[in-house]
Amino acid sequence: MQESLVERARAGDEAAFRELYLQHRGAVARLVSRMMGPGPEVEDLVQDVFLHVYRSLPSFRGDAKFSTWLYRLTVNVVKMYFRRKQSRPKLTLGTIPETKSDERTAGRPDEASERAERIEALYRVLDRLSEKKRTVLVLHDFEGLPADRIAEIVEAPVLTVRTRLFYARKELYAALAEDPALAHILEALMDSLPGRPKQRRSASSRRGATTPSPSAQPPASTAERSSDTGGAA
Amino acid sequence: MTRERQTDHSPKTAALLALREGRLSDQGRARIERHLKACELCRRHMAAMDLFERLREEAMDMEPEVDWNRMELPLRREARRIARRQRALRTARWALPALAAAAAFAFFWLRDATPSPVASTTRSETSEAPEPVPAPATTPSDAPTFPAPIAQVVAVVGEASARSAPSDPERPLFAGSELLSGEIVQTPPGSSIHVWLREGTAFRLGSDSRLALLSLGDHVLLELQRGEVHSQVAPLTPTQRYEVSNGAQWVVHVRGTRFAVRRLDAALAVDVTEGRVEVTRGGERIAMLEAPSSWLPPASSVSGESATKPSVQLPWIPPGEAPSRWTLLTLPLVEGIEGWEAVGIHAAGAPLQLRHPRGPLTVYALGKGRRRIPLRLQLTGERLRPDAATLEGLADRLRAEPVGHIDPRAFARAVGSLSPALKRCHRRALKEDPSLAERTPVRLVARLRVGRSGMARVQRWRNQKGAPPAIPPSLLSCLSEAISSYPFPRPEGGPVLLDLPIRLDAR
């Protein structure tokens, strides 16, 4: 099915070009966005990717799967963009879109901005990785591709991919641990690990004017099934 | 572990990863866990791993925002250019041998022929000339499949109808129905309809509205007789016009823009979120509105530029030129499914019909309490309607959603750690408004949705009686922020909705 579509596109069938675009545009946009971070450039780069696809498809020999070829092309387009720009783009809060569910639930703007800040911090940290490490990390941890497939995409041995992935993660964890914007979340996560030194926890649980009630234990499913569903409906 | 040892120690990422992923033997796990209890550096590293996991999930939940319509045209042009080049290459590939063969044939034929110029001429005139090189079969061009003065319904939420004149019988409209100049389109309460006029241009007729399509084609003239119409208009050429009137003297003229018009008794209210529109009355300019603006006519109780944020509910604009060849998707309401959401259309309490290009599409089935479940579809063929088993499965999942569960002890621990942040909010609010102290203790209940990654969002605040709490919005906002930036334990099996009671005391 996919092969015949690619064949038709290679032969210059406009409808097949369009079909390929419709089938793969979501995946391409996600990959571009995860490599770059959200921003207005994503749209331009997705368009660039498909222009390259259209132009290069006649020379696509079919040695690799079309999707692998498309991933490789997308990665290369993003890399070219980075090189053109010399430095990577700075992210701004305003460019980070809301998820669909947020639109629906009409989430408060401050919550949205909190979330946007967290995502911004993540991409800021990812941005510190070298291009090669970042590419491998995004393909593995965000796209869920196995190492051998990534090796095909980045045209490197599998072992190299695994090494890049390991060092990418190591650097990333270290950078996340130092990011001031994420410090409060990190502290809370450290609290939840076993064996936290006593003095830290006691500071937070000392008598306070504001105390979440002890009845705050989650009646996880019972809360949901309570009669109080009107407001959320 | 002593502090001296901690400072020259670097976390063993591989060992910590192995611990997280459960790849260690019992002995190995116990050893690393013992080390973790004492080593602040490794705890920090371990927490960073957890943090990355949560952020990654949050980032993955976020779909990139791409305006597909914008890239349609350049991509189509490029595809056409490449298709032409490919055809030319194919032609050249066999035309050259064909020409060579024809030349050889002509050479031998001329050599053997009678050398009489007359005969030759006669022969050449009457002979069957070599077959002209046939042009390769061309694919039919992507000519628009419906003529300009016709519009097409591309989505219907609930139901809608049209008639040619007030006295004519109504005909029901479906996604794919065509509309002609002169027809009147009508929606009952709770329904809406999306109508495609030409590439990049469409309107959405809102709930309980009536609109006369006085003219379509290059000069679009819509008469809003009731309700509201939201338009997205592609940049117009000098010969094109797009106007919305109220049937009397009020007319809104536009050039490439996004705007909404609401009918007010005898006038019109206008919201503009992109571009510029001109409002005239009896041919005289009343206002020139630049986006973003929200405008009410001078005669209304609140006239002129309104302080409210302009709001335009964009119509669904299918990309490309040939919606008639696309799949007609029907998403019905069944017991347990309270609505649908697709391509930005939110159809709560109503079935949804829509035309969409073939290929993958994710729609969301809506249930009670803001529950929603994605349904991934592969659109093929002319029509698609999820079968009964799929709908039933979705309804079952919606009833059971959220399906997650949080360990109560872990949750209680998390709430305990959250307390200082909430306390800070309260202190700040007391500083800003000391009178708040008189109203304490205040009891609040936050309805939380804790996502798969453990990040929570406050969906609603209420007091103990279920009413909106009477405390400053800045305090609520601060509390919400504190909660939403705090990582709760990850629920097992999916998101969880729960109520978090909070007591604010000034003492």
Side-chain angles (χ1 to χ4, degrees):
Chain A
M1 177 74 179
Q2 180 79 53
E3 287 78 13
S4 70
L5 197 59
V6 173
E7 266 316 302
R8 279 171 45 212
R10 285 187 59 190
D13 181 343
E14 285 178 52
F17 274 127
R18 181 164 172 69
E19 196 66 26
L20 279 176
Y21 159 72
L22 291 174
Q23 279 186 18
H24 296 282
R25 64 183 188 182
V28 168
R30 276 191 293 276
L31 178 57
V32 170
S33 164
R34 286 166 189 174
M35 287 190 70
M36 308 253 316
E41 303 90 344
V42 171
E43 201 165 290
D44 293 342
L45 285 187
V46 172
Q47 183 178 319
D48 268 7
V49 168
F50 280 100
L51 288 175
H52 276 83
V53 168
Y54 286 8
R55 286 166 196 160
S56 313
L57 205 52
S59 61
F60 171 61
R61 296 191 306 273
D63 297 340
K65 281 205 300 193
F66 175 74
S67 56
T68 304
W69 180 78
L70 182 60
Y71 268 121
R72 190 184 302 157
L73 202 140
T74 307
V75 166
N76 288 337
V77 166
V78 176
K79 277 183 183 172
M80 282 192 308
Y81 171 80
F82 282 150
R83 285 172 196 170
R84 263 202 319 272
K85 289 263 296 186
Q86 293 297 318
S87 62
R88 291 180 188 160
K90 298 283 173 260
L91 299 170
T92 55
L93 279 179
T95 61
I96 296 176
E98 292 295 303
T99 58
K100 289 284 178 197
S101 62
D102 296 332
E103 286 161 18
R104 272 193 60 259
T105 53
R108 303 168 66 90
D110 41 8
E111 289 170 33
S113 94
E114 283 277 313
R115 196 162 47 258
E117 271 174 32
R118 288 195 293 272
I119 305 274
E120 187 191 4
L122 171 68
Y123 280 103
R124 192 170 53 233
V125 167
L126 278 172
D127 221 24
R128 289 198 225 156
L129 300 180
S130 72
E131 190 181 280
K132 286 177 179 174
K133 285 180 196 157
R134 178 175 169 139
T135 303
V136 167
L137 186 93
V138 167
L139 289 173
H140 189 275
D141 284 358
F142 287 77
E143 296 294 318
L145 297 182
D148 53 348
R149 184 103 188 273
I150 298 174
E152 269 189 83
I153 293 168
V154 300
E155 296 174 289
V158 178
L159 199 62
T160 309
V161 168
R162 289 191 200 284
T163 312
R164 280 182 200 165
L165 181 62
F166 176 77
Y167 283 104
R169 282 175 172 173
K170 194 178 164 88
E171 286 175 28
L172 187 85
Y173 297 148
L176 282 175
E178 299 305 320
D179 195 291
L182 299 169
H184 59 300
I185 307 180
L186 195 83
E187 282 295 317
L189 283 170
M190 283 174 74
D191 275 342
S192 66
L193 290 173
R196 178 84 173 166
K198 285 285 178 204
Q199 71 272 15
R200 269 181 185 279
R201 198 180 290 164
S202 62
S204 61
S205 57
R206 240 179 277 137
R207 184 193 63 80
T210 309
T211 36
S213 152
S215 61
Q217 275 87 347
S221 43
T222 50
E224 171 50 27
R225 284 181 185 81
S226 69
S227 59
D228 182 23
T229 52
Chain B
M1 181 172 283
T2 63
R3 185 155 294 280
E4 296 81 67
R5 276 187 71 190
Q6 274 192 31
T7 50
D8 57 10
H9 164 71
S10 77
K12 296 288 178 282
T13 307
L16 294 176
L17 272 173
L19 174 71
R20 271 176 66 84
E21 291 164 10
R23 288 188 278 115
L24 294 176
S25 66
D26 287 350
Q27 259 188 329
R29 196 181 62 240
R31 195 157 56 85
I32 302 285
E33 279 177 352
R34 243 192 340 268
H35 173 78
L36 256 182
K37 279 184 184 169
C39 176
E40 192 71 4
L41 214 59
C42 287
R43 293 168 63 79
R44 182 166 278 272
H45 208 66
M46 189 79 174
M49 288 176 180
D50 208 16
L51 176 60
F52 171 60
E53 198 55 31
R54 287 161 190 259
L55 294 176
R56 186 184 69 92
E57 282 176 17
E58 267 197 308
M60 284 177 73
D61 273 349
M62 205 177 64
E63 283 291 312
E65 207 172 62
V66 179
D67 183 355
W68 301 112
N69 288 332
R70 276 192 193 169
M71 63 182 77
E72 280 282 330
L73 196 60
L75 287 178
R76 204 165 52 238
R77 278 193 195 129
E78 187 65 13
R80 196 162 293 168
R81 191 184 68 76
I82 289 167
R84 269 203 303 269
R85 198 184 64 187
Q86 290 296 97
R87 283 199 293 270
L89 277 173
R90 271 207 308 277
T91 308
R93 212 172 289 149
W94 69 273
L96 283 173
L99 278 173
F105 173 77
F107 171 77
F108 287 114
W109 184 78
L110 285 173
R111 196 181 61 174
D112 296 343
T114 315
S116 155
V118 177
S120 168
T121 309
T122 313
R123 182 105 183 225
S124 68
E125 278 174 354
T126 55
S127 71
E128 285 183 9
E131 281 278 313
V133 177
T138 52
T139 50
S141 69
D142 253 3
T145 51
F146 61 88
I150 298 178
Q152 189 179 110
V153 177
V154 285
V156 181
V157 175
E159 54 190 63
S161 60
R163 59 186 171 189
S164 303
S167 55
D168 284 355
E170 287 183 353
R171 66 176 173 110
L173 293 176
F174 305 99
S177 300
E178 290 182 342
L179 291 164
L180 298 167
S181 295
E183 286 198 287
I184 300 166
V185 186
Q186 190 165 324
T187 55
S191 294
S192 62
I193 186 169
H194 298 241
V195 177
W196 194 80
L197 298 172
R198 59 172 168 260
E199 198 171 346
T201 300
F203 68 78
R204 172 190 176 281
L205 186 63
S207 162
D208 194 16
S209 301
R210 193 168 63 222
L211 183 79
L213 314 178
L214 298 184
S215 163
L216 298 172
D218 275 352
H219 182 182
V220 174
L221 179 55
L222 309 174
E223 183 187 292
L224 184 61
Q225 298 175 348
R226 190 176 70 225
E228 58 187 53
V229 62
H230 300 247
S231 303
Q232 174 157 344
V233 183
L236 302 176
T237 64
T239 57
Q240 291 177 326
R241 287 163 76 186
Y242 190 104
E243 293 164 347
V244 181
S245 80
N246 70 341
Q249 293 187 313
W250 292 91
V251 184
V252 181
H253 312 261
V254 302
R255 290 233 167 268
T257 181
R258 293 172 174 180
F259 73 108
V261 178
R262 288 178 189 82
R263 171 90 191 217
L264 302 173
D265 299 334
L268 296 169
V270 186
D271 276 7
V272 191
T273 56
E274 189 180 298
R276 201 158 68 141
V277 307
E278 180 187 12
V279 183
T280 64
R281 185 184 185 185
E284 192 181 321
R285 180 191 287 184
I286 300 294
M288 181 63 86
L289 307 176
E290 296 262 4
S293 57
S294 189
W295 181 84
L296 293 164
S300 69
S301 53
V302 186
S303 62
E305 296 277 336
S306 156
T308 57
K309 197 178 169 197
S311 156
V312 175
Q313 295 170 27
L314 292 180
W316 156 233
I317 300 193
E321 289 179 341
S324 58
R325 287 191 306 210
W326 294 344
T327 301
L328 169 59
L329 175 64
T330 305
L331 300 167
L333 291 191
V334 296
E335 198 183 341
I337 298 182
E338 312 260 321
W340 292 92
E341 194 177 287
V343 293
I345 302 174
H346 184 66
L352 173 63
Q353 263 199 348
L354 136 104
R355 275 198 173 277
H356 193 278
R358 293 171 191 187
L361 173 69
T362 301
V363 301
Y364 294 86
L366 309 179
K368 280 186 179 161
R370 293 180 172 178
R371 300 169 186 181
R372 63 181 211 155
I373 301 274
L375 171 64
R376 289 180 180 82
L377 297 168
Q378 186 64 36
L379 303 187
T380 53
E382 286 185 7
R383 287 164 188 274
L384 182 71
R385 185 184 197 276
D387 58 26
T390 307
L391 293 172
E392 207 171 301
L394 276 174
D396 284 346
R397 284 180 58 200
L398 278 171
R399 284 188 204 105
E401 172 84 0
V403 292
H405 172 77
I406 292 187
D407 172 29
R409 275 177 300 181
F411 184 76
R413 273 201 305 275
V415 168
S417 309
L418 175 63
S419 174
L422 302 181
K423 196 162 70 175
R424 276 196 295 277
C425 289
H426 191 215
R427 276 205 213 105
R428 199 182 307 158
L430 282 170
K431 264 188 201 165
E432 284 169 9
D433 179 8
S435 69
L436 194 61
E438 295 160 18
R439 281 181 274 162
T440 55
V442 176
R443 292 174 196 277
L444 297 168
V445 180
R447 164 57 65 91
L448 302 187
R449 183 184 190 277
V450 184
R452 287 172 189 276
S453 66
M455 300 315 292
R457 194 173 308 150
V458 180
Q459 290 195 334
R460 194 169 52 120
W461 285 102
R462 59 185 169 83
N463 61 20
Q464 276 196 314
K465 291 176 185 167
I471 62 170
S474 60
L475 174 55
L476 280 186
S477 165
C478 180
L479 295 172
S480 298
E481 269 179 45
I483 292 171
S484 67
S485 61
Y486 190 82
F488 284 89
R490 289 188 212 195
E492 286 169 23
V496 175
L497 283 186
L498 45 86
D499 288 338
L500 172 65
I502 294 172
R503 185 167 164 270
L504 302 173
D505 198 333
R507 281 173 300 174

